Amino acid sequence: MDTTVDFSPYRQDGKLHGFVCVVTGASQPVGQAIIEELAAHGAASIYACDRAATADMYKDLVDGVNKSHPNTKIIPYPFNVAKEDETLVLIDEVLNAFGRLDVWVASSGLLGPPSIHQTTPDDLQKCFEAHSLAPFFALKHAPAAMAKMLTERQSYPNAAPKTQKYGSIIVISSVASTYGGCWGPCFTMAAHAALGVVRAGVAVLKGSNVRINCISPGQIDVGLDLHGMDMRGMTSQFPPASLQEKEAQEKTIGLERAGRPQEVARVAGFLASGFSSYVTGANLVVDGGAS
């Protein structure tokens, strides 16, 4: 990849200048932090996708981004990540509106029940849909759109021509992608499958100049209180309820605290840009050294 011209990550107008992005799971703290991070680096437009997305639902996010980064257009978009046909419709709408697609962040996830005894087949289905089916459809359909180049500047202020094939698919999973015990079996299985999509994607994407990578966060403070939850079936490794105590964080996490959604988002910003041009198939663990 030539990063010395319009794709240079050292552009003064932002390392993602002109990029058109899709972020699923946009109603969650990590998804919203990723949207703000991509906007901060000059993305032209970001589709904020969620099953029930509306302009009213994302008003604070849209207003905040518009105030700080007026050249980035945030587009709330209702989207069911488990529907292949909706993935295709979304891609068509992106190309019709902006003529290019550069980044796809699959950040929709589902925690699922904490114990195997509470887990139903429906729970399994929903977890696998959120964690692995969503990135699978992105892997299957987004690369062809990412290969499309754009020779003319569009009417939107931050839109830019696209002179070479380029794409980055980013899957937000969990440290449960590589070991068990941090939550219930359903979550662990689905997180492993998400990483499987990434690893399988390396061969699928050969010759496309599209990269695929996984971010596996550890304990991230998203405002979820796990005290009182049924912890049966879990191991003692990184029990999430007890890790919420400051004393436990200092003892078990290398950086002695939980992470913030913005710290996951910064890694996504790196993977979206040319700074990570030789990184694909990777699983970047963002857990403060806990593992």
Side-chain angles (χ1 to χ4, degrees), residues 108-125:
S108 52
L110 189 65
L111 199 55
S115 77
I116 196 168
H117 305 290
Q118 296 172 305
T119 304
T120 66
D122 187 55
D123 292 324
L124 280 171
Q125 177 71 23

Side-chain angles (χ1 to χ4, degrees), residues 18-144:
F19 280 31
V20 176
C21 313
V22 168
V23 178
T24 69
S27 65
Q28 302 301 315
V30 170
Q32 295 205 357
I34 290 172
I35 289 171
E36 292 170 353
E37 181 72 13
L38 300 179
H41 294 292
S45 66
I46 304 169
Y47 283 73
C49 299
D50 191 83
R51 189 187 293 261
T54 64
D56 290 339
M57 178 180 176
Y58 289 123
K59 186 178 186 307
D60 290 344
L61 174 66
V62 172
D63 290 348
V65 170
N66 284 345
K67 183 177 180 180
S68 302
H69 314 290
N71 286 335
T72 297
K73 186 177 183 64
I74 305 297
I75 304 170
Y77 191 90
F79 176 57
N80 185 341
V81 296
K83 301 292 186 181
E84 185 171 16
D85 59 335
E86 292 195 22
T87 301
L88 289 166
V89 170
L90 171 56
I91 290 172
D92 282 344
E93 293 208 15
V94 170
L95 293 179
N96 287 335
F98 293 95
R100 60 185 283 180
L101 174 63
D102 304 281
V103 177
W104 191 293
V105 183
S107 66
S108 52
L110 189 65
L111 199 55
S115 77
I116 196 168
H117 305 290
Q118 296 172 305
T119 304
T120 66
D122 187 55
D123 292 324
L124 280 171
Q125 177 71 23
K126 289 178 180 177
C127 269
F128 274 93
E129 285 179 356
H131 288 272
S132 57
L133 205 55
F136 173 79
F137 289 148
L139 172 64
K140 184 176 180 181
H141 297 296

Side-chain angles (χ1 to χ4, degrees), residues 61-291:
L61 174 66
V62 172
D63 290 348
V65 170
N66 284 345
K67 183 177 180 180
S68 302
H69 314 290
N71 286 335
T72 297
K73 186 177 183 64
I74 305 297
I75 304 170
Y77 191 90
F79 176 57
N80 185 341
V81 296
K83 301 292 186 181
E84 185 171 16
D85 59 335
E86 292 195 22
T87 301
L88 289 166
V89 170
L90 171 56
I91 290 172
D92 282 344
E93 293 208 15
V94 170
L95 293 179
N96 287 335
F98 293 95
R100 60 185 283 180
L101 174 63
D102 304 281
V103 177
W104 191 293
V105 183
S107 66
S108 52
L110 189 65
L111 199 55
S115 77
I116 196 168
H117 305 290
Q118 296 172 305
T119 304
T120 66
D122 187 55
D123 292 324
L124 280 171
Q125 177 71 23
K126 289 178 180 177
C127 269
F128 274 93
E129 285 179 356
H131 288 272
S132 57
L133 205 55
F136 173 79
F137 289 148
L139 172 64
K140 184 176 180 181
H141 297 296
M146 291 172 170
K148 292 185 180 298
M149 290 179 279
L150 186 65
T151 57
E152 297 180 358
R153 179 177 294 276
Q154 301 297 292
S155 58
Y156 192 72
N158 200 21
K162 184 173 183 176
T163 59
Q164 58 185 303
K165 295 179 181 180
Y166 178 88
S168 177
I169 300 171
I170 303 165
V171 179
I172 310 299
S173 185
S174 161
V175 288
S177 64
T178 57
Y179 59 77
C182 60
W183 191 247
C186 180
F187 179 69
T188 300
M189 292 163 62
H192 273 67
L195 183 56
V197 173
V198 171
R199 298 234 164 111
V202 175
V204 171
L205 294 171
K206 287 186 73 172
S208 68
N209 211 33
V210 175
R211 299 176 293 107
I212 185 168
N213 292 286
C214 183
I215 301 175
S216 289
Q219 189 188 6
I220 305 298
D221 185 2
V222 295
L224 179 63
D225 186 358
L226 295 172
H227 288 278
M229 295 292 290
D230 183 357
M231 297 297 165
R232 288 176 298 175
M234 294 177 56
T235 70
S236 60
Q237 186 182 31
F238 311 134
S242 61
L243 268 182
Q244 290 184 316
E245 303 294 343
K246 188 174 186 302
E247 295 78 9
Q249 292 177 2
E250 291 176 350
K251 181 179 179 181
T252 59
I253 300 176
L255 294 179
E256 301 183 330
R257 63 174 176 82
R260 297 183 293 273
Q262 293 81 2
E263 291 175 306
V264 179
R266 290 167 189 160
V267 181
F270 162 73
L271 290 175
S273 78
F275 277 123
S276 56
S277 59
Y278 201 57
V279 180
T280 192
N283 184 26
L284 301 188
V285 176
V286 183
D287 70 349
S291 57

